[in-house]
Amino acid sequence: ADVLELWSQILHKVPHSRLLLKAKSFASKRIRSELTDWFGKKGIAASRVEMLPLITTRSSHLALYHRMDIGLDPFPYAGTTTTCEALWMGVPVITLKGTDCHVHRVGASLLEHCGYPWLAVDSREAYVELAASLAADRHRLCALRSEFRERMRTRLCNAEQWMDAYERTLETALIDARGGDTCAGFLRRPTATADTPADTTTSPPPTSASPPASSSPPPPRHR
């Protein structure tokens, strides 16, 4: 109810905006009706809330992001895959930082590592205000759409960078466990030497993670 309350506040603050929800449970007419009635009691017309069931194909699922200008992360259980998908498709995601555990803060972690910590807020009031202000700033939305995918590629999806950081963390932990004794190279990947030439075999190219060309993020829609 807390999440729906904030979303209804955003709908009131942003005239002519609409809320798009997707979940398996929305295949039920009864559940859709109950939620429509709930928003109606908050003064939100049924035409402003659209509920969709799960979409079976990946391409159709990703294409749905073309209809979105801003993603609103639920709480306390934040999105993970959906947040990554939204950013990949050019949709900024606003998340409310939790304090208890991973599932409450994973959205903030993803945004921070992509270089957008300002999209993770500390209060419900800031959540609503940021959504309203961002919805009114078309120039900023356009700029964000043009850069999200490259940020995902170079930061969040940079496997070599993450592996190097992970190795350094393990090496530091091992040194600490040994009471400060050095173990240089113990956990590092081997490098080429005169006795151990570099591996010259060619690995097959990785499978592209990019969605079809038709799934490129479009510019924000006029409200």
Side-chain angles (χ1 to χ4, degrees), residues 117-217:
W118 58 272
L119 285 170
V121 298
D122 295 302
S123 69
R124 287 165 166 76
E125 294 77 16
Y127 183 97
V128 174
E129 290 301 323
L130 180 57
S133 63
L134 190 57
D137 193 341
R138 285 182 50 79
H139 292 294
R140 194 173 198 183
L141 285 173
C142 285
L144 290 171
R145 280 184 179 271
S146 68
E147 66 189 39
F148 274 144
R149 188 169 293 185
E150 186 60 23
R151 288 288 187 96
M152 286 283 288
R153 283 194 180 106
T154 59
R155 297 194 181 194
L156 199 61
C157 300
N158 189 330
E160 183 174 356
Q161 173 182 289
W162 284 108
M163 181 54 68
D164 286 343
Y166 181 60
E167 288 176 346
R168 287 194 296 272
T169 300
L170 290 179
E171 191 170 65
T172 299
L174 184 56
I175 292 173
D176 290 344
R178 290 184 169 189
D181 291 341
T182 59
C183 53
F186 184 77
L187 295 174
R188 294 288 181 179
R189 283 168 286 179
T191 55
T193 66
D195 297 325
T196 58
D199 183 3
T200 58
T201 59
T202 302
S203 301
T207 302
S208 173
S210 303
S214 61
S215 295
S216 298

Side-chain angles (χ1 to χ4, degrees), residues 58-165:
R58 179 174 179 269
S59 59
S60 295
H61 169 71
L62 289 174
L64 193 62
Y65 287 97
H66 292 334
R67 300 179 54 194
M68 304 176 195
D69 293 323
I70 299 172
L72 300 175
D73 203 12
F75 59 87
Y77 199 115
T80 304
T81 302
T82 49
T83 297
C84 291
E85 288 174 345
L87 296 176
W88 184 256
M89 296 303 294
V91 179
V93 178
I94 298 173
T95 190
L96 177 61
K97 288 187 284 188
T99 58
D100 297 328
C101 58
H102 166 75
V103 296
H104 296 171
R105 298 182 63 84
V106 63
S109 177
L110 291 170
L111 291 167
E112 180 177 349
H113 282 94
C114 281
Y116 303 98
W118 58 272
L119 285 170
V121 298
D122 295 302
S123 69
R124 287 165 166 76
E125 294 77 16
Y127 183 97
V128 174
E129 290 301 323
L130 180 57
S133 63
L134 190 57
D137 193 341
R138 285 182 50 79
H139 292 294
R140 194 173 198 183
L141 285 173
C142 285
L144 290 171
R145 280 184 179 271
S146 68
E147 66 189 39
F148 274 144
R149 188 169 293 185
E150 186 60 23
R151 288 288 187 96
M152 286 283 288
R153 283 194 180 106
T154 59
R155 297 194 181 194
L156 199 61
C157 300
N158 189 330
E160 183 174 356
Q161 173 182 289
W162 284 108
M163 181 54 68
D164 286 343

Side-chain angles (χ1 to χ4, degrees), residues 2-21 35-36 38-51 69-70 72 94 124 127-133 135 221 223:
D2 286 348
V3 176
L4 295 178
E5 180 63 39
L6 290 197
W7 290 350
S8 67
Q9 291 179 29
I10 293 170
L11 288 170
H12 280 298
K13 277 185 168 289
V14 185
H16 312 298
S17 61
R18 301 178 70 246
L19 181 65
L20 176 61
L21 304 172
L35 195 55
T36 298
W38 188 94
F39 277 106
K41 293 175 181 177
K42 297 293 181 178
I44 306 296
S47 60
R48 298 183 65 192
V49 181
E50 182 178 357
M51 290 164 271
D69 293 323
I70 299 172
L72 300 175
I94 298 173
R124 287 165 166 76
Y127 183 97
V128 174
E129 290 301 323
L130 180 57
S133 63
R221 299 173 291 106
R223 292 187 175 278

